[in-house]
Amino acid sequence: MILAALMFVFGAWNVQQLAQLPSVLWLLSAAAVSILIFLTQYSTHYTNQHPWRNSAYFHTPKLLRFFLLNVAAFLFGLIWASSFALWRMGDELPHAWEQKTIAIVGVVASVPEATEHGVRFSFDIEKVLTKQAIVPKHISLSLYGASKYGSKFTKNDFKSNDFKANGTESDAVEPESQLNQFKAGERWQVSVRLKRPHGTANPHGFDFESWALSENIRAMGSIKSKAGIKKLDDFVWQPKYMVEHVRESVKQRIAKVLENKPYLGVIQALVMGDDSQIAVDDWQVFLHTGVSHLVSISGLHITMIAGLAFGLVSFCWRRVPKLVMQLPARKAATIAGVITALLYTLIAGFAVPSQRTFYMLLVFAVALWSGRQLVISQVLAMALFIVVLLDPWAVNAPGFWLSFGAVAMLSYALGARIGQIHWFKAALQTQWAVTVGMLPLLLVMFGQTSIISPIANAFAIPLISFVVTPLALLGSFLPFDTPLNLSYQALDICMVALKWLNQLPMATWQQHAPAAWTLLPAVIGVLWLLLPRGFPMRWLGIIGFLPMFLILPTRPAVGDMKVTVLDVGQGLSVVVQTATHNMLYDAGPKYTEHSDAGSRVIIPFLHGEGVKKLDGFIVSHNDIDHSGGMPSVLGLMPVTWLASSFTPDIETGKIKTLDTLTKIPCFAGQIWTWDNVKFEMLHPTFESYDEAMLKDNNRSCVLKITSQAGSILLTGDIEKEAELDLINIDSAKLKSDVMTVPHHGSKTSSTPAFIAAVSPSVSVFTTGYLNRFGHPKPVIVERYQTASSMMYRSDYDGALQIDFVTNLSGKNEINLESWRSQYRRYWQDHFAQDAQVSE
């Protein structure tokens, strides 16, 4: 049973790696095969008179039948996940209806979530009023406010395809009073402008489109208040809306009691699973100290509450003889525990960690009622099967693997323990098993792990699980405020200790993203290390970890270079790597007050590539879509020198290497060589800094990089005046194999003369999806087509990886591959093809 459940999950996981879903005919054929195997397998339990008993199948070896059964389980997982995907993908917003005003009627399907710009919530569509419009049944809507709605930027804004990132700001701006009018369960008539889920696509980055599909968000957009907003019903009486209404009431109760408290969002997360209001700085503390699993609803919290209900009902039931005669106290208490766990799981939003715990408790309850004895591995396998059966996309969530992985490692490490041991020793063994067991997954998924997590968890687990959470739950449902206030005070003490630990040097181990194949030897090493004490040569398990640490990402050879044009939405950021040096050109846009491309895209990419320091950082000019991520880059990555065409306004307290950072202006004539790769600044002229009326765009730092295999021209946002200056000064220097298109394809740039002077074989447009500027302009695209230049777009292709290499035969090559083509998944829109340009 255990292996069959794992094979089912493996089949569902394989579906999520596909670039295209299987056809219906293929699925029907696979279903027929799996059903035949299942039927013949289970017919062995029938009597010998069963007609199938004489079939050739039953004369095959038992091992072969076991193999076929697991093949059938794998096919079942693949068929199940594919069928779900086909069904959900069929409910989509056609491209033709993107960004068009559509009138709809529907119900607010989630607790409205405050964001920095307004309010956001899920919306179930019941009726489409606009004729011939096709709209998905479940969407995400936002109403933007004229002033900041939330005082802090929150973790969920990282999940949103932020409207500023793609330059699609809404004109539906409302005062705060109107933002508060939407409540869970209400029916509204609104006019909206929608677009398909579309996020930035980069190596080592967050896959927003995968997350949106798993959450069944099939379109997202803004409410057009000028077109009319009308409430039709105060409440729609359906179970899911009733649950959301209760969750909203709990959230409002906590917000009222703990108003303006800095850790209000943490209390809300512990009670109802809503972590949207936890500040990013606090999330960083939780991640660096390794206690993030305690902040959201965890299995420990649900088990504790279910255990409390079990003990209370058992205590009372045993004292009423008539009740005991009707039903044993243990079974009655089990029912109470399961019901309590279900209610708490629903209030918590039914997230994967809470699902896993509830299903495990449910399996234990069923086993108790049936009189069967189940080992923990069987319970875990059944819970794993049920979670994926109900949500095939759960396998895409890191929390899914971390949740089940932690329980599996604990079961493996402590399952062979004989007799009672001291509680302190048991706690040490448990922490050791979790720390070592989770290390491979944490490194593969996040490229980091907390070194101080054992110390942090030693006090955080008992304090949060047995003091903060119980008091918060009592205070949320009782009519007096004392429990909530006491809960907050206990949390405040915990946060002081966690923040102190977070400030310690080397609190977190950060490294490159290991190759996926290194996970297997690392897991084998973990299992070896966690063998019972006294087992010979347990230390050999360390060898399994070595590939994760020692096999580094490939660097260019001397004379070669690797250029990555990152997808940062409407903006520009380019990473250049030579054999031993790293440079960043531009830092992408600022999305919100506390979020930018530096923290969301650039730093994760640099960490994933194993970059520990930037030897150079160029910010072309002072537009927010080029310099917006600069503070995060300087705060999170050591930088040797910073060159720009303006005086950067930097908070010195947040610069990682303030003492060693050199700031210089960029100007034509600056030349340096790294690893036989030449860097030359072509613009602006030094004298242009005296021209007060010169536009920022026309003062962009223009950089040409030349390797032995080819060259690339990085142009910033220069417009036609600067292009003309470059042609007049020295047009021959402009000739390049690859160019980032000036000003994202605006009409103000890319004159025919400039394109002819550069004569790029490849042109890269760095634009946001459906951006409000309309970049790239069709007339500009036509100019590059006329010049026979191969075009890439960051909104269509994602990040573009360009390798300038000399192969073994001495031939120079420029190899290009877009991230969306390298990381193809069935939920993505596909717009372009890969290419290779050779000399």
Side-chain angles (χ1 to χ4, degrees), residues 95-129:
H95 285 285
W97 283 99
E98 288 186 292
Q99 298 291 73
K100 293 185 177 180
T101 301
I102 304 173
I104 56 176
V105 173
V107 182
V108 179
S110 68
V111 179
E113 171 192 328
T115 67
E116 186 171 344
H117 300 289
V119 64
R120 179 172 57 234
F121 51 84
S122 298
F123 196 74
D124 290 341
I125 296 179
E126 297 177 319
K127 184 186 298 184
V128 179
L129 302 180

Side-chain angles (χ1 to χ4, degrees), residues 670-699:
Q670 293 171 317
I671 300 175
W672 68 97
T673 300
W674 285 338
D675 307 309
N676 291 340
V677 177
K678 180 182 177 182
F679 295 75
E680 182 175 7
M681 197 72 68
L682 304 182
H683 188 77
T685 62
F686 190 78
E687 295 75 19
S688 68
Y689 286 96
D690 295 328
E691 299 178 30
M693 301 303 294
L694 186 65
K695 295 175 62 176
D696 283 345
N697 283 355
N698 281 328
R699 196 178 279 126

Side-chain angles (χ1 to χ4, degrees), residues 409-731:
M409 286 300 167
L410 285 173
S411 303
Y412 173 79
L414 307 179
R417 192 170 61 192
I418 300 176
Q420 296 291 328
I421 63 174
H422 192 271
W423 67 267
F424 183 72
K425 185 176 181 181
L428 289 179
Q429 290 181 352
T430 299
Q431 191 61 52
W432 164 253
V434 172
T435 301
V436 175
M438 292 294 97
L439 181 59
L441 280 176
L442 290 172
L443 290 180
V444 168
M445 292 178 176
F446 306 111
Q448 67 176 30
T449 188
S450 174
I451 297 175
I452 59 175
S453 65
I455 300 173
N457 279 283
F459 66 83
I461 288 177
L463 189 57
I464 292 179
S465 298
F466 301 111
V467 180
V468 176
T469 303
L471 287 174
L473 284 168
L474 285 174
S476 299
F477 293 96
L478 294 178
F480 44 90
D481 302 343
T482 302
L484 268 175
N485 289 322
L486 290 174
S487 173
Y488 186 87
Q489 292 175 11
L491 175 63
D492 193 31
I493 295 172
C494 184
M495 289 299 298
V496 170
L498 291 176
K499 287 184 175 181
W500 181 82
L501 286 174
N502 186 48
Q503 294 174 352
L504 294 176
M506 288 297 294
T508 303
W509 172 263
Q510 182 79 54
Q511 68 161 60
H512 65 278
W517 68 266
T518 62
L519 183 62
L520 179 59
V523 170
I524 295 174
V526 166
L527 298 178
W528 194 270
L529 282 172
L530 295 181
L531 286 170
R533 185 179 179 184
F535 196 89
M537 303 180 73
R538 282 197 307 165
W539 59 271
L540 288 176
I542 298 175
I543 297 176
F545 287 91
L546 294 182
M548 280 195 161
F549 298 110
L550 300 182
I551 299 180
L552 302 176
T554 303
R555 297 285 305 192
V558 174
D560 296 341
M561 66 176 173
K562 176 182 178 181
V563 178
T564 305
V565 183
L566 294 171
D567 177 11
V568 292
Q570 183 70 16
L572 178 64
S573 184
V574 181
V575 176
V576 181
Q577 296 173 277
T578 65
T580 60
H581 292 81
N582 307 287
M583 192 199 76
L584 177 65
Y585 179 91
D586 276 347
K590 182 177 181 179
Y591 303 133
T592 65
E593 183 178 347
H594 299 283
S595 170
D596 54 53
S599 60
R600 285 176 54 176
V601 177
I602 299 168
I603 293 298
F605 174 79
L606 294 175
H607 284 163
E609 293 294 303
V611 175
K612 299 185 181 299
K613 183 186 74 170
L614 286 174
D615 300 285
F617 180 16
I618 299 174
V619 182
S620 64
H621 63 299
N622 199 22
D623 276 6
I624 199 68
D625 56 337
H626 293 253
S627 63
M630 179 179 62
S632 291
V633 173
L634 293 174
L636 298 171
M637 176 70 63
V639 178
T640 301
W641 55 259
L642 170 65
S644 60
S645 61
F646 64 102
T647 302
D649 183 15
I650 305 170
E651 295 184 49
T652 56
K654 294 186 177 181
I655 300 179
K656 196 173 184 69
T657 52
L658 176 63
D659 296 337
T660 59
L661 178 65
T662 301
K663 292 182 285 185
I664 57 176
C666 65
F667 55 88
Q670 293 171 317
I671 300 175
W672 68 97
T673 300
W674 285 338
D675 307 309
N676 291 340
V677 177
K678 180 182 177 182
F679 295 75
E680 182 175 7
M681 197 72 68
L682 304 182
H683 188 77
T685 62
F686 190 78
E687 295 75 19
S688 68
Y689 286 96
D690 295 328
E691 299 178 30
M693 301 303 294
L694 186 65
K695 295 175 62 176
D696 283 345
N697 283 355
N698 281 328
R699 196 178 279 126
S700 294
C701 306
V702 176
L703 180 69
K704 182 178 180 180
I705 312 173
T706 306
S707 72
Q708 59 190 7
S711 58
I712 183 171
L713 185 67
L714 306 177
T715 59
D717 272 356
I718 58 171
E719 298 181 358
K720 55 188 177 183
E721 295 85 2
E723 292 178 354
L724 181 60
D725 289 342
L726 284 165
I727 294 172
N728 292 334
I729 292 173
D730 191 348
S731 61

Side-chain angles (χ1 to χ4, degrees), residues 339-350:
I339 293 175
T340 302
L342 175 61
L343 292 176
Y344 189 24
T345 302
L346 291 173
I347 295 298
F350 216 61

Side-chain angles (χ1 to χ4, degrees), residues 333-361:
T334 299
I335 295 175
V338 170
I339 293 175
T340 302
L342 175 61
L343 292 176
Y344 189 24
T345 302
L346 291 173
I347 295 298
F350 216 61
V352 170
S354 57
Q355 287 182 44
R356 182 256 305 167
T357 303
F358 172 71
Y359 294 140
M360 289 181 66
L361 292 174

Side-chain angles (χ1 to χ4, degrees), residues 24-252:
V24 175
L25 179 61
W26 191 97
L27 292 176
L28 290 175
S29 302
V33 172
S34 58
I35 291 172
L36 179 63
I37 294 175
F38 275 123
L39 288 177
T40 52
Q41 173 69 16
Y42 286 105
S43 66
T44 58
H45 298 291
Y46 294 170
T47 63
N48 289 335
Q49 285 74 31
H50 194 284
W52 287 0
R53 295 290 295 179
N54 296 321
S55 67
Y57 173 82
F58 297 102
H59 297 284
T60 58
K62 185 177 180 180
L63 183 61
L64 179 58
R65 296 209 305 268
F66 175 77
F67 170 77
L68 291 175
L69 176 63
N70 285 287
V71 169
F74 170 80
L75 289 175
F76 179 40
L78 192 148
I79 295 165
W80 185 261
S82 297
S83 300
F84 260 69
L86 286 170
W87 167 66
R88 185 164 290 183
M89 292 292 291
D91 185 30
E92 65 178 2
L93 178 72
H95 285 285
W97 283 99
E98 288 186 292
Q99 298 291 73
K100 293 185 177 180
T101 301
I102 304 173
I104 56 176
V105 173
V107 182
V108 179
S110 68
V111 179
E113 171 192 328
T115 67
E116 186 171 344
H117 300 289
V119 64
R120 179 172 57 234
F121 51 84
S122 298
F123 196 74
D124 290 341
I125 296 179
E126 297 177 319
K127 184 186 298 184
V128 179
L129 302 180
T130 302
K131 291 183 179 180
Q132 299 181 339
I134 301 174
V135 182
K137 298 184 183 301
H138 190 72
I139 63 176
S140 175
L141 291 179
S142 297
L143 184 63
Y144 297 117
S147 60
K148 188 166 115 177
Y149 185 72
S151 61
K152 294 184 178 179
F153 179 71
T154 63
K155 186 190 80 167
N156 272 19
D157 284 299
F158 280 94
K159 293 179 179 177
S160 71
N161 192 25
D162 192 272
F163 67 99
K164 282 191 176 179
N166 289 329
T168 54
E169 272 183 286
S170 169
D171 59 358
V173 178
E174 298 302 326
E176 186 170 325
S177 58
Q178 188 165 345
L179 295 175
N180 290 314
Q181 64 183 320
F182 292 96
K183 305 294 181 184
E186 295 176 340
R187 179 178 282 123
W188 287 82
Q189 177 179 323
V190 293
S191 294
V192 299
R193 297 185 70 184
L194 302 173
K195 62 180 179 180
R196 298 161 67 94
H198 190 99
T200 57
N202 298 280
H204 318 296
F206 176 69
D207 189 343
F208 169 78
E209 292 155 48
S210 171
W211 174 84
L213 181 66
S214 67
E215 295 292 316
N216 196 21
I217 298 175
R218 303 302 296 130
M220 53 196 311
S222 60
I223 296 173
K224 305 281 291 183
S225 61
K226 295 178 181 179
I229 300 176
K230 182 180 180 181
K231 183 195 290 188
L232 302 181
D233 289 298
D234 289 333
F235 195 75
V236 177
W237 292 95
Q238 292 185 20
K240 61 180 180 179
Y241 302 138
M242 294 170 65
V243 170
E244 290 300 318
H245 178 72
V246 173
R247 296 182 73 238
E248 186 173 24
S249 299
V250 170
K251 182 176 181 178
Q252 292 172 347

